[in-house]
Amino acid sequence: MSYDFKIKAADKATLYRDMASALEGLVAGEPDAVANMANASALIFESLPDVNWVGFYRNVGGELVLGPFQGRAACIRIPFGTGVCGTAAATREVQLVEDVHAFPGHIACDSASNSEIVVPLIRDGELIGVLDIDSPTTARFDREDKAGCVKLGDILSGVL
Ligand code: SME
């Protein structure tokens, strides 16, 4: 079987809707979290324009540990409360950062990254991990991206 996603949409709402249905199809019936995170990062990386890193950090005993991703090799362990991902994990709130260089404690994994969105993944009250998406463009992510990424996160929380 081959997956050939050519998701191109005129507007962001349509793009995220198409991505959400592709993601639902990809993870349907698959209980393996690593496989689902791997395919989700590939799908998002391929479909979203102007991103240089897409991936997951998992909550492993109260610390974020790198999971499947697309992009450059990244830092492996991030304490809760540190950087953008650690802040998303500690506050359980989406972090939409227009300029990562202005974010206190930001961890620069890829010097090409200038803006970032991090979505906490929560199931049954437990923080499973975070979905992290980076862009080389300052202020790449807006409220529509936030809504779209939260929807992708909701799909993923159920299958990780
Ligand atoms: N910049 C992130 C670290 C992860 S990398 O971007 C892949 C942060 O500050 O949490």
Side-chain angles (χ1 to χ4, degrees):
M1 193 190 329
S2 81
Y3 296 108
D4 187 12
F5 298 111
K6 294 263 185 301
I7 299 176
K8 292 240 182 327
D11 59 89
K12 277 192 191 184
T14 310
L15 174 66
Y16 280 106
R17 208 165 41 240
D18 289 352
M19 287 171 67
S21 45
L23 182 60
E24 272 167 346
L26 261 183
V27 301
E30 177 50 65
D32 189 274
V34 172
N36 287 335
M37 287 187 277
N39 262 341
S41 356
L43 172 71
I44 298 168
F45 191 78
E46 198 181 12
S47 308
L48 262 194
D50 198 23
V51 298
N52 61 305
W53 202 92
V54 177
F56 294 86
Y57 283 89
R58 301 157 298 128
N59 178 5
V60 181
E63 183 181 32
L64 291 176
V65 181
L66 184 64
F69 67 94
Q70 297 273 308
R72 285 194 160 169
C75 42
I76 298 168
R77 290 172 186 273
I78 300 176
F80 276 34
T82 299
V84 186
C85 291
T87 300
T91 62
R92 297 184 170 204
E93 280 172 12
V94 176
Q95 300 296 305
L96 203 166
V97 181
E98 292 194 347
D99 178 4
V100 294
H101 307 290
F103 191 95
H106 163 250
I107 302 162
C109 290
D110 182 344
S111 60
S113 300
N114 284 311
S115 62
E116 179 164 0
I117 184 167
V118 182
V119 178
L121 304 172
I122 294 159
R123 190 182 58 231
D124 300 332
E126 298 284 316
L127 182 95
I128 308 162
V130 301
L131 167 64
D132 180 15
I133 306 178
D134 290 14
S135 170
T137 301
T138 302
R140 156 68 180 80
F141 305 103
D142 60 16
R143 283 191 304 180
E144 276 190 291
D145 292 287
K146 181 176 173 182
C149 291
V150 164
K151 172 70 182 152
L152 298 177
D154 286 345
I155 296 166
L156 288 163
S157 298
V159 293
L160 301 185

